[in-house]
Amino acid sequence: MMKTKIFHSEKDNIETLIAYAANILRQGGLVVFPTETVYGIGANALNPDAAHNIYQVKGRPSDNPLIVHVANEKDVSKYAQTITDDAMKLMEAFWPGPLTIVFNKQPIIPEAITGGLDTVAIRMPSHPIAKALIQEANVPVCAPSANISGTPSSTIFKHVHDDLNGKVDVIIDGGQSTVGLESTVLDMTTDTPVILRPGAITKSMIETIIKRDVIDTTVHITDDTIPKAPGMKYRHYAPEGDVTLLKGTHKNMITFITQQDQSIGVIGSNELCAQLSDYHTYPLGPKDDPELIARNVFLALRTMDEHNIRTIYVEAFENKELGQAIMNRLLKASNHTIIEV
Ligand code: AMP
Ligand code: MG
């Protein structure tokens, strides 16, 4: 165990905390910081030993590559070869923000962070603390989600603190992540761009900018599908409790749930949860507010664990646009266990 320095962005002086954390990054330490997607655990991406510590702390398989975070577009050409016109357009449209682009890597990027691949995934986050930290550190920051590998990502300080206090040098509390789901990962190294992970920047948003089709490999992944992106084959986002998705009308969900024991937990829209006052529920937001539902979904899964709930039923949402990213995480968290009610 090490002593972890904790900062709260609401109370502490921002310049002081950024200077402290940036210095730790430059020296090869680990800093947990807020981003708009989920909290990240960051290290200097040019320092293979520092990056190695991320894998150790998270228990992350070494072939699951890390995303490199930059503070401005100009830095991309230092780490990526061949930035196509389409990649430029996407960066202009969606950066800073929740879109990660996969490029062919420059030799300066160590294979320790790309899982041995000759490509590198790069993103520019919009969260002011993330931006200021990367800017001040003056190094690219590789940062996967700040959770133990396989469990739901953390979107609030308490959850990163629970998992990582004593294991990293610094944790910065920056409030709740506003997007709540990890970034969209888009591979731009192939003739036709490929979505490797869905997120808040959706297929149609990308196609509108580059005016051509992209392939989405993330729909209908079953156990025997060969993983297209490194990391896709592993257990993901799963809380301690068993997750089952419920598909159907609210009326039928309520009939099903009210036949279950009261020790179960239910995660769903406000409209569903409002009708289940005898049960432990976590309302995510109104059914027609996918942004709010996305923001709360990991928080809800982790909260069920905090209440020691062993059986968790989750309302299945419409599998389109942002709903597709939400369902991607829920399908994995449930190991594709769905009951049609
Ligand atoms: P995390 O940071 O935990 O959200 O995980 C990073 C995600 O980015 C994983 O799904 C990786 O598979 C993906 N990723 C990172 N680098 C690459 C790369 N070079 N090629 C393809 N996918 C990547
Ligand atoms: Mg992750």
Side-chain angles (χ1 to χ4, degrees):
M1 288 285 275
M2 58 168 85
K3 175 98 182 101
T4 299
K5 176 93 180 149
I6 308 283
F7 291 107
H8 298 280
S9 66
E10 292 218 314
K11 289 195 290 229
D12 296 315
N13 181 285
I14 300 283
E15 276 170 28
T16 312
L17 76 87
I18 295 291
Y20 183 95
N23 194 38
I24 294 282
L25 284 175
R26 276 193 304 270
Q27 288 173 7
L30 300 185
V31 174
V32 171
F33 61 97
T35 86
E36 71 280 18
T37 59
V38 299
Y39 274 74
I41 172 171
N44 177 355
L46 304 180
N47 178 339
D49 293 334
H52 176 77
N53 289 337
I54 291 184
Y55 285 93
Q56 288 258 291
V57 164
K58 277 186 61 100
R60 183 176 176 105
S62 62
D63 63 350
N64 192 355
L66 307 179
I67 293 170
V68 174
H69 294 72
V70 297
N72 60 64
E73 274 112 3
K74 287 199 299 290
D75 285 344
V76 174
S77 58
K78 296 185 200 162
Y79 315 121
Q81 290 181 34
T82 2
I83 304 162
T84 61
D85 288 348
D86 280 349
M88 285 298 290
K89 284 185 197 153
L90 292 168
M91 283 155 50
E92 268 162 36
F94 300 119
W95 282 13
L99 176 69
T100 296
I101 302 178
V102 177
F103 299 95
N104 290 312
K105 79 174 191 70
Q106 295 278 13
I108 191 175
I109 294 291
E111 284 194 0
I113 72 152
T114 67
L117 299 171
D118 51 16
T119 54
V120 61
I122 305 182
R123 176 169 107 82
M124 179 159 114
S126 67
H127 194 293
I129 291 181
K131 265 187 5 196
L133 177 64
I134 300 161
Q135 187 89 51
E136 179 72 20
N138 202 22
V139 293
V141 176
C142 56
S145 51
N147 55 295
I148 303 302
S149 196
T151 67
S153 302
S154 289
T155 53
I156 60 168
F157 167 74
K158 181 182 186 297
H159 291 159
V160 279
H161 188 263
D162 288 349
D163 283 2
L164 298 171
N165 186 39
K167 298 180 180 166
V168 297
D169 298 281
V170 178
I171 301 179
I172 304 171
D173 174 6
Q176 185 179 357
S177 298
T178 52
V179 176
L181 298 177
E182 303 85 349
S183 58
T184 305
V185 178
L186 180 71
D187 187 351
M188 293 295 291
T189 66
T190 46
D191 287 342
T192 305
V194 181
I195 295 176
L196 301 175
R197 177 172 72 186
I201 306 300
T202 64
K203 181 173 187 282
S204 65
M205 289 162 75
I206 294 166
E207 288 174 341
T208 302
I209 298 298
I210 62 175
K211 301 190 175 64
R212 59 191 180 111
D213 289 343
V214 307
I215 297 169
D216 187 348
T217 58
T218 64
V219 274
H220 305 305
I221 296 162
T222 59
D223 286 346
D224 44 33
T225 308
I226 296 162
K228 306 276 191 320
M232 278 163 65
K233 63 181 183 236
Y234 297 109
R235 178 188 119 117
H236 258 102
Y237 316 124
E240 301 277 322
D242 275 328
V243 177
T244 301
L245 300 187
L246 296 180
K247 205 174 160 191
T249 62
H250 278 182
K251 188 164 171 284
N252 290 352
M253 285 182 202
I254 287 157
T255 306
F256 176 87
I257 289 163
T258 50
Q259 287 163 2
Q260 313 297 315
D261 187 288
Q262 285 192 4
S263 64
I264 65 155
V266 179
I267 297 172
S269 61
N270 291 358
E271 293 86 343
L272 177 71
C273 293
Q275 298 182 65
L276 293 166
S277 50
D278 291 341
Y279 286 83
H280 187 102
T281 60
Y282 196 112
L284 296 169
K287 208 174 165 39
D288 62 2
D289 191 347
E291 272 87 18
L292 193 56
I293 290 172
R295 189 178 304 158
N296 287 325
V297 70
F298 283 134
L299 194 54
L301 290 169
R302 294 195 59 130
T303 303
M304 289 288 163
D305 278 352
E306 289 176 342
H307 294 278
N308 279 314
I309 290 168
R310 311 323 299 173
T311 303
I312 307 165
Y313 290 101
V314 186
E315 174 178 354
F317 295 98
E318 204 182 354
N319 206 353
K320 66 161 216 241
E321 296 299 313
L322 184 55
Q324 200 204 317
I326 297 168
M327 285 302 293
N328 169 271
R329 306 313 189 273
L330 288 175
L331 282 164
K332 291 185 180 190
S334 68
N335 197 14
H336 294 257
T337 313
I338 309 177
I339 295 180
E340 304 233 12
V341 292

